[in-house]
Amino acid sequence: MTNTPDNKRSIETVLAHSGRDPSGFHGFVNPPVVHASTVLYPDTKTMVTGAQKFSYARRGNPTTDSLEDALKEIEGAAGVKLANSGLNAIALAILSCVKSGDHILIADTAYGPTRHFADTVLPGLNVDVEYYNPAVGANIKSLFKPNTTAVFTEAPGSLTFEMQDIPAIAAAAHEIDATVLMDNTWASPLYCQPIAFGVDLSIQAGTKYIVGHSDVMLGTIAASEKAWHKLDTLHGAMGSHVGPDDVYLGLRGLRTLSVRLERHQKNTAVVLDWLKTQPAIGAIRYPALESDPGHEIWKRDFSGASGLCGFDFATRTTQEQAYAFLDALTLFGLGYSWGGFESLAIPVRLKGMRSATNVDPDLHSVRLHIGLEDPEDLIKDLGQALDKAFA
Ligand SMILES: *Cc1c(COP(=O)(O)O)cnc(C)c1O
């Protein structure tokens, strides 16, 4: 059972039914893929008064409406906007709630390109960027300045998987009327419902689990009542638009999100159960494990776990050994992104990637995405790679 945003239909049912209107499209189950720019008006009066649903395809068409409506229901949002990548969704969400002279707090464990955006774009707009330790919880209050207007969260953190006490951070931020943002890509809206926790802008790299097949770049931003108007205005002003074929593939992915995630979760549990018995492996980073420092928060706030996890090699591992392990993998591809049906691995070094958290710069870690293959085959692959690297 997963969270039910509307307290009526289970989210699995909402995933299957939301954003569809068969009777509006001759009974066809799915909405049409509308390739469009110009929309015609029946007369000048309708045109100049804007009295028709669609005005110009940059501002939306029946295909984008369908995905936005579906996510609006799934996320319990006042409104949803689509972006052309997850990073674009993050940038638009931040720009919608900061202005010159403001101070934004960003979790130290935020996705690397989020930091890059904050460090390269925001200072030029006279926005003061400060990174905070993700474990801060309600003590985030102590970091507030008179000009703090936004708090950016991400849980679990990128590469290192630290959980954050989102409800406590959101409650504190709302006391000063700051906007709370959350990158919720890891859990997807199926396993975590940020708006119910007080998050104002709930962000997905739709590229990952919503699309689910490694074939489209997509971002989504779901907004609370408080954040919606500014987001809608900024999004329109920036001319953001996602092509209908990509939107359609996002919709198509959404329909099977619950079965895919259930399998990713199950496979990950099997693989990690084996991995933790291996002498070359140090800490495993995955909040669904009881041994994980974020487990209690995960259990309280999330209704499931995805296929993205990490592990550290035992401390005396060299870079050569870490790379030899990765190079020996045959089923795990070496590649960025994740959320597709396939297993992936990347090397992780945290040197220079954190400024408010203590990290061991010499530690060698790996991020794994556990795909939909048979987990026993994945274990064999990891086993032979460990044997080769640590022979
Ligand atoms: C991949 C990712 C993004 C960015 O998504 P893109 O679609 O690749 O731009 C943002 N946040 C997290 C946590 C991600 O893993």
Side-chain angles (χ1 to χ4, degrees):
M1 271 292 286
T2 43
N3 299 330
T4 49
D6 60 2
N7 287 323
K8 288 193 287 278
R9 304 194 292 180
S10 158
I11 193 160
E12 285 81 0
T13 307
V14 174
L15 284 171
H17 284 270
S18 58
R20 294 201 289 115
D21 176 25
S23 64
F25 302 114
H26 310 285
F28 292 108
V29 167
N30 289 294
V33 178
V34 177
H35 282 270
S37 56
T38 299
V39 180
L40 300 179
Y41 297 81
D43 50 52
T44 317
K45 183 161 176 256
T46 309
M47 188 174 209
V48 299
T49 56
Q52 97 181 3
K53 183 166 183 192
F54 296 106
S55 58
Y56 183 45
R58 192 180 63 224
R59 301 304 300 257
N61 65 55
T63 318
T64 52
D65 261 26
S66 184
L67 181 55
E68 287 171 358
D69 288 350
L71 287 166
K72 189 174 149 181
E73 187 175 355
I74 292 159
E75 300 235 21
V80 170
K81 281 292 168 193
L82 306 181
N84 50 42
S85 68
L87 181 59
N88 184 231
I90 290 163
L92 291 169
I94 292 176
L95 290 175
S96 78
C97 63
V98 296
K99 60 183 186 319
S100 174
D102 285 354
H103 172 239
I104 181 172
L105 286 161
I106 300 181
D108 200 34
T109 43
Y111 177 63
T114 300
R115 278 184 95 104
H116 180 71
F117 167 77
D119 292 342
T120 56
V121 176
L122 296 182
L125 302 175
N126 191 31
V127 173
D128 180 17
V129 175
E130 181 177 348
Y131 294 98
Y132 67 91
N133 187 316
V136 70
N139 284 333
I140 188 105
K141 277 192 187 94
S142 64
L143 303 174
F144 290 161
K145 297 181 181 177
N147 59 340
T148 304
T149 55
V151 179
F152 189 97
T153 66
E154 178 176 333
S158 268
L159 306 176
T160 41
F161 299 92
E162 294 89 342
M163 289 300 293
Q164 291 200 260
D165 191 338
I166 306 289
I169 290 172
H174 287 164
E175 277 174 30
I176 58 160
D177 204 30
T179 303
V180 181
L181 303 91
M182 180 178 179
D183 183 334
N184 183 40
T185 303
W186 182 84
S188 91
L190 177 65
Y191 289 154
C192 176
Q193 299 275 314
I195 289 175
F197 293 148
V199 169
D200 298 298
L201 293 165
S202 164
I203 299 157
Q204 278 292 312
T207 308
K208 311 292 167 58
Y209 284 126
I210 290 179
V211 166
H213 293 74
S214 305
D215 50 4
V216 171
M217 305 294 301
L218 180 69
T220 74
I221 314 157
S224 67
E225 208 64 65
K226 166 185 145 140
W228 169 241
H229 178 68
K230 280 187 180 169
L231 175 69
D232 189 27
T233 304
L234 187 275
H235 187 275
M238 296 293 278
S240 267
H241 172 75
V242 187
D245 293 312
D246 289 349
V247 175
Y248 184 79
L249 289 171
L251 264 170
R252 180 153 133 162
L254 204 59
R255 305 302 177 198
T256 57
L257 184 65
S258 69
V259 283
R260 286 185 287 108
L261 273 186
E262 195 179 310
R263 184 62 69 85
H264 282 293
Q265 175 168 228
K266 205 170 130 199
N267 287 359
T268 305
V270 174
V271 170
L272 293 185
D273 225 33
W274 172 84
L275 200 63
K276 69 187 178 201
T277 65
Q278 300 304 301
I281 305 302
I284 293 182
R285 299 170 180 270
Y286 188 66
L289 288 186
E290 259 172 57
S291 56
D292 190 277
H295 184 69
E296 287 308 315
I297 293 181
W298 172 79
K299 217 164 63 177
R300 184 193 67 190
D301 294 346
F302 288 44
S303 55
S306 68
L308 195 72
C309 56
F311 67 82
D312 303 336
F313 285 109
T315 36
R316 281 182 22 255
T317 298
T318 63
Q319 176 164 300
E320 288 65 35
Q321 284 171 311
Y323 286 9
F325 165 77
L326 290 163
D327 290 344
L329 292 167
T330 59
L331 289 177
F332 286 82
L334 289 179
Y336 293 109
S337 204
W338 47 278
F341 48 80
E342 79 286 19
S343 289
L344 296 167
I346 61 168
V348 173
R349 288 304 293 285
L350 295 170
K351 204 171 174 175
M353 298 181 80
R354 301 284 189 258
S355 55
T357 326
N358 284 329
V359 292
D360 177 353
D362 296 322
L363 197 64
H364 287 279
S365 306
V366 168
R367 188 188 74 184
L368 295 178
H369 178 250
I370 306 297
L372 303 179
E373 303 91 337
D374 183 331
E376 297 303 331
D377 287 337
L378 296 177
I379 287 173
K380 274 184 218 149
D381 192 29
L382 292 165
Q384 62 81 24
L386 284 174
D387 287 348
K388 274 199 189 124
F390 296 94

